Amino acid sequence: MSTFRQIPGIYHRQVGHFLVTALCDGYMAYENFDIFRDDDHDKLAACLRAETRVTPPVISINAFLVRYDGRAILVDCGSGDIMGPTCGRLLDLLKCLGLNPQDITDILLTHIHPDHSNGLTDPKTGDKNFPNALVHVHQEEIRHWFNDEAKAQATERQKRVYFDAGRFQISPYLNGSVQTFDRESKVLPGITALPSTGHTPGHSCYILRAEDETLIIWGDTVHVPEVQLAYPDVGMIFDTDTPAAARSRRMILQRCVVENILVGGMHNHFPGFGRIRQGTAGEYRFIAEQWYHAFHHGQSV
Ligand SMILES: [Zn+2]
């Protein structure tokens, strides 16, 4: 049986003066619930069924392109060759948009993990995929993934997929093309980095403030929305520090509710835009935004 590509993987949304394009690098379909740090698999399955989702979960892997004032900014850059045949579409999608990798001016990394940072560097040549980009990332991401003591405590798979791949991917940029931050701070005009550590030691969200709307691109604040909004304390095996990740998740979710912030997420179902509300059955819920059927520059309708 043939498999057909079902979704185009490109979706534009105007957020004030920011032209934000969600890019679907691919997806991961899981065979069981072992990706969660929670043994109550009936509870996890019930969360998915309540939202009529596939169980065990299928997770989208998204990145975002942000264009304004002559800049072309990637928020994360896809998974390159490391996540298997269902992933790694980002460079093709840029081509579809008429963009060359050389056109990317900045890359905002939410964290260094294969599905977010493995698109930085060509695995065959070791050359930068984005030769003109300045990479912005929390300094703890560099410090942690280059820490040999932390690596020595990791499993063999973590050593290979997180530490080795992370070092390989970021290294070509370390000679002058990486700008780090260590607190909530402005990284580009109108764009603020908000550290939300736990999932990884320097995991960060990015907040885009436009005239009439605020967008948070929240990285891996949530991997499986149906589960982790209902139960924000449920962690993932990918977390470096699960309790800290849960505290950050709660902080971000509450802020999204109180400030009515538009959300974009790397593992929200593509295209991933929506808003957070207090839940009725669970603690929070994700209200996916309706698709804008037409797009004119400067306005989504
Ligand atoms: Zn991820």
Side-chain angles (χ1 to χ4, degrees):
M1 194 167 67
S2 304
T3 303
F4 294 94
R5 252 180 207 173
Q6 173 81 323
I7 55 175
I10 293 173
Y11 178 80
H12 301 295
R13 192 196 190 285
Q14 197 73 36
V15 179
H17 61 286
F18 299 106
L19 170 56
V20 182
T21 304
L23 302 170
C24 186
D25 186 67
Y27 67 94
M28 293 297 288
Y30 291 96
E31 291 172 2
N32 54 50
F33 289 96
D34 293 348
I35 55 169
F36 294 94
R37 287 219 169 103
D38 191 311
D39 294 333
D40 190 348
H41 293 183
D42 290 342
K43 175 184 80 180
L44 305 176
C47 290
L48 290 160
R49 277 199 298 270
E51 304 267 342
T52 67
R53 302 300 191 196
V54 173
T55 168
V58 174
I59 297 180
S60 188
I61 296 178
N62 310 321
F64 293 85
L65 173 69
V66 179
R67 286 178 282 181
Y68 71 109
D69 289 353
R71 295 175 194 273
I73 302 156
L74 280 174
V75 188
D76 291 345
C77 55
S79 58
D81 68 337
I82 208 166
M83 302 288 289
T86 61
C87 300
R89 297 173 61 194
L90 186 121
L91 289 175
D92 282 345
L93 296 179
L94 290 181
K95 226 180 275 174
C96 293
L97 287 165
L99 285 175
N100 293 310
Q102 294 87 329
D103 299 330
I104 300 300
T105 57
D106 300 86
I107 297 171
L108 308 180
L109 286 182
T110 61
H111 60 304
I112 295 177
H113 254 182
D115 49 326
H116 302 260
S117 57
N118 225 71
L120 284 172
T121 294
D122 186 321
K124 294 189 191 78
T125 63
D127 294 332
K128 294 177 184 177
N129 278 335
F130 304 100
N132 300 318
L134 182 62
V135 176
H136 306 255
V137 65
H138 195 298
Q139 71 174 26
E140 277 304 317
E141 287 298 286
I142 307 288
R143 201 178 287 170
H144 176 73
W145 300 115
F146 279 86
N147 181 335
D148 286 333
E149 282 172 34
K151 182 179 172 183
Q153 291 165 21
T155 65
E156 287 310 308
R157 183 181 176 279
Q158 288 167 341
K159 282 177 188 162
R160 182 171 49 84
V161 175
Y162 293 166
F163 287 87
D164 293 343
R167 292 178 189 192
F168 177 83
Q169 286 291 322
I170 195 79
S171 284
Y173 295 83
L174 287 176
N175 195 3
S177 297
V178 171
Q179 184 142 344
T180 60
F181 54 86
D182 64 356
R183 64 197 70 186
E184 181 169 352
S185 51
K186 185 172 118 177
V187 288
L188 289 168
I191 303 182
T192 303
L194 174 63
S196 53
T197 59
H199 174 57
T200 61
H203 182 276
S204 300
C205 306
Y206 292 95
I207 297 179
L208 283 63
R209 277 182 221 289
E211 302 71 36
D212 53 354
E213 200 165 37
T214 298
L215 168 68
I216 184 168
I217 299 180
W218 74 10
D220 282 8
T221 296
V222 165
H223 289 81
V224 183
E226 299 78 10
V227 171
Q228 291 176 299
L229 268 70
Y231 297 101
D233 291 332
V234 173
M236 310 301 294
I237 57 167
F238 323 115
D239 297 335
T240 305
D241 181 339
T242 290
R247 284 194 295 277
S248 288
R249 187 177 306 112
R250 287 182 177 282
M251 180 266 289
I252 299 290
L253 288 171
Q254 194 55 28
R255 193 160 164 176
C256 289
V257 171
V258 171
E259 299 180 31
N260 191 30
I261 299 173
L262 178 68
V263 168
M266 279 48 189
H267 301 304
N268 297 0
H269 299 290
F270 185 80
F273 295 112
R275 303 211 185 238
I276 308 302
R277 294 289 181 264
Q278 298 287 358
T280 43
E283 285 195 48
Y284 296 94
R285 60 197 174 114
F286 182 75
I287 312 290
E289 185 175 65
Q290 71 178 59
W291 282 57
Y292 288 107
H293 292 276
F295 175 81
H296 309 287
H297 189 64
Q299 196 183 8
S300 305
V301 292

